[in-house]
């Protein structure tokens, strides 16, 4: 886990795009150390590789979109979540359409494919971003924050006025194992009235019961029901893991969110980067020293409690 990782060999898959409704072919290839995650539109400029980074986020409406020089790829959060959750630092993702294929609406198919081809360590050490001081953003009643921690932790709370969802919260210490066992199978979800509204306007054209949990006014309409009782909040965590990976390195800190989404997740990363006194970077060789420093920090518990409206 100390060294950067990439795929042992390339993999391919096909599925529809959630918003475009088009069949999309995707190939994921190994990449060199320090390359990061690179995206390629094979139906556009095949030679242009778009680096996955906060600077290249062009839209956060309904999904996270990465673009550069007029070329963009949307709905990247699930594959980025799988990479982050499984510790993959470097890869090239090629698609022949405008978005990443939705698969079953979760990151499970990506995780299964990554496990099948396997990953390998590379010659360079990972670099970590270590949160040293709390950072907070809000918009309306939604808010998100980072506080120091000796690992990457997530505490997430959602609240919907729907009888099948209500209030859900979940806490996770991220590792390959916890991601695969607890998070990656959680599917995206939406409300039937919203899906019909979006499809009437040319959006969510690929959405179906095969790739999303759909709710009408009172219940879940998928015959198979939920994969876990807290699948809704777990999917929000899945999305957040993908969004937070836009910072370009693993995070050592505690992400705490209440009703957050793609836009607010990106806002928090920008706020963090703008205050360099609140974070530092380290490799695994000197990260223990940073842990010891973190243990001396006193973060008032009320700040965490307020952040999640406990």
């Amino acid at each position: 886990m100390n060294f950067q990782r990439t795929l042992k060999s390339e993999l391919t898959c096909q599925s529809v795009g959630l918003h475009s409704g088009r069949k999309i072919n995707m190939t994921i290839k190994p990449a060199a150390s320090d390359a990061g995650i690179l995206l390629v539109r094979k139906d556009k400029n095949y030679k242009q590789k778009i680096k996955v980074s906060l600077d290249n986020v062009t839209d956060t409406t309904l999904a996270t979109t990465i673009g550069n020089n007029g070329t963009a790829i949307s709905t990247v959060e699930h594959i980025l979540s799988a990479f982050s959750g499984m510790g993959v630092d470097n890869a090239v993702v090629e698609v022949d359409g405008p978005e990443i294929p939705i698969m079953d609406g979760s990151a499970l198919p990506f995780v299964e494919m990554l496990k099948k081809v396997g990953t390998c360590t590379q010659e360079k050490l990972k670099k970590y971003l270590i949160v040293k001081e709390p950072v907070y953003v809000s918009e309306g009643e939604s808010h998100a924050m980072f506080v120091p921690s000796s690992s990457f932790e997530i505490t997430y709370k959602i609240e919907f006025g729907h009888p099948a969802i209500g209030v859900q919260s979940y806490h996770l210490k991220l590792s390959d194992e916890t991601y695969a066992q607890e998070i990656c199978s959680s599917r995206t979800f939406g409300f039937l009235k919203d899906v019909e509204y979006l499809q009437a306007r040319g959006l969510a054209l690929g959405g179906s019961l095969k790739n999303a949990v759909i709710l009408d006014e009172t219940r879940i309409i998928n015959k198979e029901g939920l994969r876990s009782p807290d699948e809704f909040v777990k999917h929000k965590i899945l999305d957040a893991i993908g969004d937070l990976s836009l910072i370009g390195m693993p995070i050592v800190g505690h992400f705490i969110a209440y009703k957050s989404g793609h836009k607010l997740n990106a806002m928090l990363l920008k706020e963090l980067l703008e205050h360099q006194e609140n974070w530092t970077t380290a490799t695994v060789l000197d990260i223990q020293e940073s842990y010891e420093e973190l243990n001396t920090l006193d973060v008032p518990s009320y700040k965490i409690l307020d952040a999640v409206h406990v």
Side-chain angles (χ1 to χ4, degrees):
M1 295 298 293
N2 299 342
F3 290 85
Q4 295 180 33
R5 292 158 72 184
T6 191
L7 286 70
K8 287 184 178 179
S9 61
E10 69 178 58
L11 60 85
T12 60
C13 65
Q14 182 191 76
S15 182
V16 299
L18 177 61
H19 294 291
S20 66
R22 291 174 51 180
K23 286 187 178 180
I24 296 173
N25 295 290
M26 182 172 73
T27 301
I28 306 176
K29 299 179 178 180
S33 297
D34 293 334
I37 307 301
L38 304 171
L39 305 179
V40 177
R41 281 282 299 270
K42 293 182 69 174
D43 61 325
K44 296 287 186 179
N45 184 354
Y46 180 66
K47 294 181 180 180
Q48 181 185 2
K49 291 182 172 65
I50 307 171
K51 180 76 174 282
V52 170
S53 70
L54 195 58
D55 289 339
N56 284 334
V57 174
T58 60
D59 194 9
T60 53
T61 305
L62 300 178
T64 296
T65 300
I66 300 293
N68 191 271
N69 294 326
T71 301
I73 298 176
S74 67
T75 326
V76 300
E77 56 272 12
H78 295 177
I79 187 63
L80 294 184
S81 182
F83 286 148
S84 183
M86 301 306 292
V88 174
D89 305 281
N90 306 300
V92 178
V93 181
E94 299 177 350
V95 291
D96 61 358
E99 59 185 319
I100 300 296
I102 191 60
M103 309 303 282
D104 71 346
S106 77
L108 179 60
F110 301 135
V111 168
E112 290 177 336
M113 287 187 289
L114 289 171
K115 285 184 174 181
K116 185 175 181 179
V117 301
T119 61
C120 59
T121 57
Q122 298 175 283
E123 69 277 9
K124 291 194 176 181
L125 291 166
K126 293 177 184 281
K127 182 178 285 187
Y128 295 85
L129 185 145
I130 301 171
V131 178
K132 296 172 61 179
E133 298 287 346
V135 179
Y136 177 89
V137 295
S138 65
E139 185 174 67
E141 62 180 7
S142 303
H143 41 254
M145 70 186 299
F146 281 120
V147 297
S149 173
S150 59
S151 62
F152 184 24
E153 299 180 64
I154 297 176
T155 300
Y156 209 111
K157 185 175 182 180
I158 61 172
E159 190 171 352
F160 286 86
H162 190 285
I165 305 178
V167 178
Q168 294 186 2
S169 60
Y170 201 81
H171 175 76
L172 177 81
K173 283 192 175 184
L174 186 66
S175 68
D176 290 16
E177 292 76 20
T178 59
Y179 183 81
Q181 294 171 7
E182 302 177 40
I183 300 300
C184 76
S185 64
S186 301
R187 296 162 293 174
T188 192
F189 62 94
F191 300 95
L192 186 60
K193 58 182 177 61
D194 295 334
V195 172
E196 292 171 343
Y197 175 86
L198 291 170
Q199 290 183 339
R201 284 153 180 79
L203 298 170
L205 298 178
S208 72
L209 295 174
K210 294 180 180 180
N211 55 41
V213 177
I214 306 297
L215 304 98
D216 63 15
E217 295 297 328
T218 60
R219 63 186 178 88
I220 298 163
I221 64 176
N222 302 63
K223 291 183 179 180
E224 74 278 11
L226 296 175
R227 293 177 175 177
S228 67
D230 40 17
E231 185 171 2
F232 299 108
V233 69
K234 285 181 176 178
H235 184 78
K236 287 292 188 179
I237 290 175
L238 185 157
D239 278 349
I241 291 170
D243 288 341
L244 297 180
S245 73
L246 294 168
I247 210 158
M249 65 189 84
I251 295 171
V252 180
H254 188 172
F255 172 70
I256 303 165
Y258 174 73
K259 290 187 174 183
S260 189
H262 303 302
K263 180 181 179 181
L264 201 62
N265 295 341
M267 286 173 56
L268 180 62
L269 292 181
K270 291 178 181 178
E271 183 73 12
L272 177 66
L273 293 180
E274 287 175 2
H275 294 84
Q276 294 187 17
E277 70 277 9
N278 289 351
W279 56 274
T280 188
T281 59
T283 65
V284 71
L285 294 178
D286 55 5
I287 203 168
Q288 184 59 44
E289 180 180 341
S290 300
Y291 286 168
E292 291 170 358
E293 180 183 352
L294 288 175
N295 289 335
T296 68
L297 297 174
D298 181 22
V299 181
S301 60
Y302 72 85
K303 289 189 177 181
I304 298 177
L305 295 177
D306 285 348
V308 293
H309 280 189
V310 174

